[in-house]
Amino acid sequence: MDSGKTLSLPPLKALQAFEQTARFANVARAAEQLALTPSAVSHQLAKLEALVGRALFVRGARGMTLTPAGEQYLEEVSEVLHRLAMATDRAASDAGLECLRLHSAPSFGLLWLMPRLEQFRQSHPDLQINLSCSYESLHFSRDKVDIDIRHGLPSWPNLEIRTLQRERLAVLAAPQLLEKRPVQSPADLLHSELILSEATLMKWPNWFAQQGLALPERPYTLSFDRSYMTLEAARHGLGFALESTVLAADYLDRGDLVRVLPQDDDLPVAAHHLVFPRAHSRYARVRRFLDWLQQELGQPFEY
C-alpha cells in the first residue's frame, strides 16, 4: 500500500564518501581515493548523517569507527553500489554476457586457476570471465570484483571467507636434483641447496623446527617473493623448495617436481581463501564458480 511518503535518496557522492571512509577509517585517505578535499568528504558525511538521522561514525583520535547503525548501512550500501557498477558495466558491454569478475593472488591465479579456466568456461558458456591478479586486497564495489582469492591469514571482518582445505607445504625438488643430492631424512637438507619462498606463510625455519632440527648454517641458494618463481627455479633443478602442494599440483602431476620426503613431514597451512561480501553469495554466477571450484579441488571449503 502506498503511504504517500516520498523516499529520500542520498546523493551518490555522499554514499561514496561514506563507503571509502568506512574502508580506510580515515577521511584523508577517503579524500585521496575520491579526488576530493578532506573537508568535502566531511561535508558529504555530515549531509548523509543528517539525512539518515543517526550517527554513522564515532570520531576518535585514531580515526573513524563505524557505529552499529553505520555497520549495517555499510553492508547494504556496498551491495547497492556494487550492483549499480555491475549494471552499468553490463549495459556498456557489447557481448551481452553476464560477467564473473575474479581477482586472485598472482601465484594461485597463474599456476592453479589459469590452466583450469577453460574447463569452467566450457561448462558455463553464458558467463564472461574477467581475471586480474595482484597481492592487493581490492575493494569489491570500486574495483567491480565478485570474488577475491587472497593469500594470507584470514582476517577480513564483515566478509565471507571460504578457505581451501588440505593445503600443505611440502619439500619439492626436480628429479634430476634428487639423483645428484639424494635425501634420506630431513637432516640431509641441512647441507643442501635451499630455495627460500618469501611468499609462504611458513618458511624453512618453521619446517626445520617441526623436524626438531636447528637452522642450516649455509645461506639460502636463492630466494623469491613469488611462489611461481620458486617453483620454476626448483623445476630447473636449482634447489629444494618448500611450497604449497596446491600451487605445485600440476608440477607434481607432470613429474617436473616430486615430493622429497613422506607426507608426514609436510606442514599443514590454510593460506588461500575465497573472499567476498555476504551479499555476493546470492549471485548465481558466484555460486556456480564456488561449486565448480569445490569440484575441481575435490574437497569442500572450510567456513
Side-chain angles (χ1 to χ4, degrees):
M1 185 176 182
D2 187 357
S3 63
K5 181 180 178 180
T6 302
L7 295 176
S8 298
L9 293 177
L12 181 59
K13 285 185 178 180
L15 294 179
Q16 291 173 320
F18 167 68
E19 187 186 40
Q20 291 297 320
T21 303
R23 177 191 179 199
F24 292 109
N26 184 282
V27 169
R29 292 287 305 280
E32 289 178 9
Q33 291 295 314
L34 297 170
L36 298 173
T37 64
S39 61
V41 171
S42 296
H43 176 72
Q44 292 296 335
L45 295 179
K47 182 187 297 186
L48 186 61
E49 288 181 319
L51 180 62
V52 172
R54 303 174 72 178
L56 300 174
F57 291 99
V58 176
R59 278 79 170 169
R62 296 188 175 181
M64 309 278 282
T65 305
L66 286 169
T67 63
E71 290 180 357
Q72 180 180 352
Y73 194 53
L74 176 65
E75 182 175 345
E76 296 174 349
V77 163
S78 294
E79 178 184 359
V80 170
L81 289 176
H82 179 76
R83 290 176 68 90
L84 179 61
M86 296 303 293
T88 304
D89 193 59
R90 285 195 296 272
S93 174
D94 293 331
L97 299 176
E98 186 172 17
C99 185
L100 173 68
R101 295 186 177 273
L102 306 172
H103 178 262
S104 176
S107 291
F108 186 90
L110 175 66
L111 297 175
W112 196 93
L113 186 56
M114 183 71 73
R116 294 165 176 81
L117 273 184
E118 179 61 16
Q119 300 173 28
F120 178 76
R121 193 190 66 81
Q122 288 183 356
S123 57
H124 301 277
D126 58 319
L127 289 180
Q128 181 183 2
I129 303 162
N130 179 283
L131 173 63
S132 59
C133 293
S134 74
Y135 277 118
E136 180 185 4
S137 294
L138 298 189
H139 189 256
F140 288 92
S141 61
R142 184 196 67 199
D143 298 307
K144 302 178 185 178
V145 175
D146 289 316
I147 299 175
D148 195 0
I149 305 173
R150 297 180 181 178
H151 177 271
L153 299 174
S155 57
W156 302 290
N158 303 318
L159 292 172
E160 290 288 306
I161 301 173
R162 305 286 187 271
T163 298
L164 272 61
Q165 291 191 45
R166 296 197 291 275
E167 184 174 6
R168 304 181 72 83
L169 294 177
V171 181
L172 308 172
Q176 64 269 26
L177 177 62
L178 269 183
E179 290 179 8
K180 294 188 297 183
R181 300 277 194 276
V183 174
Q184 302 300 325
S185 70
D188 293 335
L189 289 166
L190 290 170
H191 309 287
S192 299
E193 300 87 351
L194 302 180
I195 302 173
L196 175 63
S197 183
E198 297 175 350
T200 55
L201 293 186
M202 292 186 283
K203 301 173 177 62
W204 280 114
N206 308 101
W207 186 86
F208 280 115
Q210 178 180 287
Q211 310 304 323
L213 297 170
L215 289 174
E217 295 182 2
R218 63 186 298 175
Y220 298 111
T221 302
L222 294 165
S223 65
F224 298 101
D225 64 350
R226 298 288 188 269
S227 290
Y228 61 79
M229 296 175 69
T230 298
L231 291 168
E232 277 297 298
R235 181 177 72 85
H236 287 288
L238 302 182
F240 295 87
L242 181 66
E243 261 297 347
S244 162
T245 54
V246 170
L247 298 183
D250 289 347
Y251 288 87
L252 293 167
D253 289 344
R254 293 191 303 261
D256 292 336
L257 294 174
V258 296
R259 287 176 180 267
V260 174
L261 295 163
Q263 293 192 26
D264 292 343
D265 294 310
D266 293 354
L267 280 177
V269 61
H272 287 93
H273 319 269
L274 284 86
V275 183
F276 50 91
R278 190 169 295 113
H280 289 199
S281 60
R282 297 200 295 268
Y283 300 161
R285 62 183 182 274
V286 169
R287 294 196 303 269
R288 290 159 69 183
F289 180 77
L290 293 175
D291 290 344
W292 170 82
L293 193 61
Q294 284 188 103
Q295 292 175 2
E296 285 295 308
L297 291 166
Q299 58 185 339
F301 296 125
E302 178 183 332
Y303 286 71

